[in-house]
Amino acid sequence: MTLKRQFMPENPPMWLINPVLVESLVVLAVVLCVHMVVWNQQSWCSIALIIQAFYVQHKWDRLLRSGGAVFQFRPATNSGIVPASMVMPLLGLVLREKCSASGNVYFERLSMVITITGMMLALFLSLIALGITRPMPTNTCVIAGMAGSVILYTTKQTLTVSEVIEVLEVLLIFVYLSLIVLYLLPRCFTPGEALLIIGGISFVVNQLIKRSLNLAEVKGDPVNYFLSVIVVGSLLLGVFFALLFCFMESETWVSSLFFYMMTAVLGMGILMPWLSLFIGRHPIMWLLDFLTLNDKRLCLLGYWVFLAVVATCVVLHQNHQRQSGSKKHQASTVVRKYFHLIVVATYVPGLIYDRQLLHVASVVCLAIFLFLEYVRYFRIRPLGQLLRQLLTLFLDERDSGPLILTHIYLLLGMSLPLWLFPGPCAPKGILPGAGSLVPYAGVLAVGVGDTVASVFGSTMGEIRWPGTKKTMEGTATSVFAQIIAVAMFLIFDGSINLDSTYSWIVGSISLVAMLEAYTSQIDNLLLPLYLFILLLL
């Protein structure tokens, strides 16, 4: 015993026990991996950005612990500034590399705008933290000022005046949306999650407005416009009724009928005509022709309806067990992962056989999820109270605010790699090497990796990563399961050709698995985006 104490340090090194530091180091490793492949004028900006984000994150964490933040953020977690700040800049950098190689100038310029927009949003969030921190953190202010100077100088050198105005428009939308969303929905997001989600919505809103004002330049696949219109429509619906129900009761039949009526007016009177401007036809007629194009699509739709019924039965069965006298008040980790398996069974056939159909179906599913969440949140009759009772069983510690977002994050995590896939920059819709796995990033990171890590870690894991509740066994089985999944995709999807990029794929999966072990942010949202970035290289 004496010898053991002699060779064990009383105070372990900080990097062994501080999960926030390890999380930042993993993100830094991803940044370095990106810049091993991509190096241009904006690369120095991303290095400066992650350094200032690391310093600012500690200020945000202190504000959250002391209760000094302006809004109420999700409790019992860190701010998540470092991983969230780097997503949009890195995404823009890798997309620019692919579009430049394919000679697509329009999307190359758009990728540059994405990069600078992400950096500006992260800088704005840093300025908020520094502005409300007392006493003023001099060293952090200097570092943030130097990073801001580098980014502003690069912006002046790389973007045109119209592109700079576009970045400022997104920043303005972000400011107003942040004020509205964070005020109306306290404790739903961390600062990093707010940056990622509201920043992404702001960019989509600005792009839709821009394209609506330049209909003569609108071109491309009609499928790509569904997401933008659905996001904007859902945002308008949510903000309108959130403000309206501050002044009137939402649980009456009169309010419920008004809710359904206004939803129909928004959908049929605004969103449908708006969407028809982009696709050149009535959206419902186009959708019917699209869905019935061939027998394969009808079979996939029937299969997905069956899986939706299975998921509904799981929810009803678990609630029946609770009501029949079971002492279990919350669903276990294994039960919650049933839905991950159902989603994997939904997405894999779609990715193999018909990605366009899966794209449209996932957008429609997002619209349905958001509508049902509005019904539950506002207690709209007759389903509002029933949804509250059914979904309460599946809450976890991350659903600490008035919204239940776990299932929406799961859908987003699986769908974002498909939605963000740079089709116009991919010859014949296929990327070479590891890029051919890009649409599968959500399935790998969330559907396979996160599910296996949670199940094996919670049931058989014994050795914990220092400073976290996650286990090394869970992380190891997660990586192993994802490698097996890649091998299965190679067998069943003939469009995948890895071209001896196996070591890069294994390294990318391992990095993202380490991020899953140490992050306290919404992993269903964060992990697919980082795996998407690494595989796109």
Side-chain angles (χ1 to χ4, degrees), residues 25-59:
L25 290 175
V26 173
V27 175
L28 177 61
V30 174
V31 173
L32 295 178
C33 287
V34 171
H35 292 310
M36 286 172 55
V37 180
V38 179
W39 189 266
N40 52 43
Q41 288 177 293
Q42 296 172 336
S43 299
W44 287 111
C45 298
S46 64
I47 300 295
L49 183 67
I50 191 172
I51 294 173
Q52 74 89 27
F54 177 76
Y55 278 88
V56 171
Q57 175 161 292
H58 289 282
K59 308 306 174 187

Side-chain angles (χ1 to χ4, degrees), residues 354-375:
D354 199 330
R355 294 181 183 178
Q356 277 199 323
L357 178 63
L358 180 62
H359 188 292
V360 173
S362 58
V363 171
V364 172
C365 191
L366 175 64
I368 294 172
F369 277 13
L370 291 174
F371 177 76
L372 291 178
E373 180 57 23
Y374 289 152
V375 171

Side-chain angles (χ1 to χ4, degrees), residues 177-240:
L177 277 184
S178 299
L179 292 174
I180 295 171
V181 172
L182 296 179
Y183 174 76
L184 294 175
L185 303 174
R187 302 181 308 280
C188 285
F189 312 100
T190 65
E193 292 163 3
L195 170 64
L196 195 57
I197 295 168
I198 303 177
I201 292 174
S202 302
F203 189 84
V204 170
V205 170
N206 185 69
Q207 285 297 308
L208 186 62
I209 294 173
K210 176 185 173 183
R211 294 183 182 186
S212 300
L213 296 175
N214 296 277
L215 290 174
E217 300 178 5
V218 170
K219 54 184 178 181
D221 196 331
V223 170
N224 298 325
Y225 297 107
F226 270 80
L227 178 62
S228 302
V229 174
I230 290 297
V231 168
V232 173
S234 301
L235 179 67
L236 292 174
L237 185 68
V239 171
F240 174 77

Side-chain angles (χ1 to χ4, degrees), residues 131-204:
I132 60 180
T133 301
R134 295 293 182 271
M136 183 69 72
T138 306
N139 293 337
T140 306
C141 288
V142 171
I143 293 172
M146 293 173 62
S149 300
V150 171
I151 293 172
L152 289 174
Y153 177 78
T154 305
T155 301
K156 177 179 178 295
Q157 296 296 317
T158 57
L159 298 189
T160 63
V161 175
S162 61
E163 290 168 342
V164 172
I165 293 174
E166 189 173 345
V167 172
L168 295 177
E169 289 169 351
V170 176
L171 185 58
L172 184 63
I173 296 172
F174 175 80
V175 172
Y176 282 108
L177 277 184
S178 299
L179 292 174
I180 295 171
V181 172
L182 296 179
Y183 174 76
L184 294 175
L185 303 174
R187 302 181 308 280
C188 285
F189 312 100
T190 65
E193 292 163 3
L195 170 64
L196 195 57
I197 295 168
I198 303 177
I201 292 174
S202 302
F203 189 84
V204 170

Side-chain angles (χ1 to χ4, degrees), residues 386-407:
L386 176 63
L387 289 172
R388 281 179 174 265
Q389 295 172 359
L390 293 177
L391 296 180
T392 301
L393 179 64
F394 300 95
L395 295 179
D396 61 15
E397 67 278 0
R398 299 182 182 183
D399 291 312
S400 55
L403 293 184
I404 299 177
L405 297 171
T406 305
H407 57 297

